[in-house]
Amino acid sequence: MRWPEYVQIKEVGPRDGLQNESQWVETEDKVKWIDMLSETGLKEIEYSSFVHPKWVPALKDAKEVGKRIKRNPNVIYSALVPNEKGLENALEAGIDKAAVFMSASETHNKKNINKTIEETYPVLKPVIEGAKKEGKQVTGYVSTVFDCPYEGRIKVDQVLRVVDKLFEMGVDDISLGDTIGTAVPSQVEELLEAVLYRYPRKNVIMHFHNTKGMAIANILTSLQYGITRFDASLGGLGGCPYAPGAAGNVSTNDLLYLLHGLGIKTGIDETKIEAATRFIQSKLNRTEPTRSICYLTQESAEKI
Ligand code: HMG
Ligand code: MG
């Protein structure tokens, strides 16, 4: 097996990692943490989220964080942007890249962003256009691409419809989200066969949560398909507030262990990553990342 020479990791800990935390992390600690991350060799850091602070209070200081972090010119600083109001705030705080997001499943989309899938496109279109006008790149996240906590298994066609529309609206790349961390490698193969038939590998990012401990296996499968871009979170922090029971993202630490062990370059210093992990875990009063066993409602589990 020939592995890719280089893989790019986007650190989503400051956004996906913290958004689900009930423990408040002080703004100055977030800034300190992101500054530490900026010196690890990471090429992209998703530093916060410009959603409604009532829905994600853990990130209500997004603007202040964006204004206070020390920008390393070698790092792309991105953030979640749900609508034009979010874009206005994100541009004021400073972003290099906007990440719009929606789901392949109707119910998760509605619970997460309060819109049907069809209602979401006209909200995202001006965000993508507005960001581009300001010279920013745009990622399109698609959530629940494998399983939905409310609807069960999601068909590949459903995912493709959303992916096609996002590319048509102008996103530079897409991040395919196993939001509830339940996919197994055969599901990854099925989806990547279809997506990579239509779009270049370089524009596809994989975003695995690790509820069932399958994230590394799914990443290995993605690597075999030539995918070289992954989202990950320090210490495996994270989860979606609208996907009850979902565990955090694949841990950046585990992912680096895998990639470096395979001889794949990332440009990231594992020692600095460990120091940044210890820093944030101490702020969250935690030594180990949490893992959850509850991931689907009984009803949707029966549909799988
Ligand atoms: P809405 O209530 O439908 O919005 O929320 P609205 O447009 O009807 O506006 C209602 C009020 O909210 C208005 O204020 C707006 O100004 C205000 P009022 O006039 O009533 O005083 N408002 C805002 N305020 C601040 N910032 C904004 C904003 N937008 C509207 N951006 C909205 C829609 C999307 C904003 C809301 O549902 C929301 O914030 N949801 C949070 C969703 C979220 O953050 N989910 C987690 C992230 S996604 C994820 O984790 C998955 C991912 O990791 C991939 C994967 O794992 O699969 C990316
Ligand atoms: Mg996520």
Side-chain angles (χ1 to χ4, degrees), residues 12 15-16 19 141 143 177-179 207-209 231 238-240 249:
V12 295
R15 194 280 300 174
D16 210 337
Q19 73 181 9
Y141 274 109
S143 291
D178 181 10
T179 316
H207 179 105
F208 292 108
H209 283 260
D231 296 341
C240 174
N249 300 87

Side-chain angles (χ1 to χ4, degrees), residues 112-126:
N112 198 31
I113 54 176
N114 200 24
K115 304 253 174 320
T116 65
I117 287 176
E118 279 308 315
E119 286 165 352
T120 305
Y121 298 128
V123 174
L124 298 190
K125 196 163 187 277

Side-chain angles (χ1 to χ4, degrees), residues 17-18 20-23 234-238 248 277-291:
L18 293 188
N20 213 23
E21 288 293 331
S22 48
Q23 165 90 40
L234 244 66
L237 295 170
T277 308
R278 280 197 299 279
F279 176 83
I280 195 61
Q281 287 187 335
S282 74
K283 300 300 166 196
L284 294 166
N285 301 319
R286 201 176 290 157
T287 50
E288 293 294 328
T290 49
R291 290 233 170 116

Side-chain angles (χ1 to χ4, degrees), residues 268-301:
I268 300 169
D269 182 330
E270 282 181 74
T271 313
K272 289 183 178 171
I273 286 287
E274 287 308 323
T277 308
R278 280 197 299 279
F279 176 83
I280 195 61
Q281 287 187 335
S282 74
K283 300 300 166 196
L284 294 166
N285 301 319
R286 201 176 290 157
T287 50
E288 293 294 328
T290 49
R291 290 233 170 116
S292 169
I293 49 160
C294 140
Y295 66 102
L296 288 174
T297 60
Q298 183 63 31
E299 202 185 332
S300 75

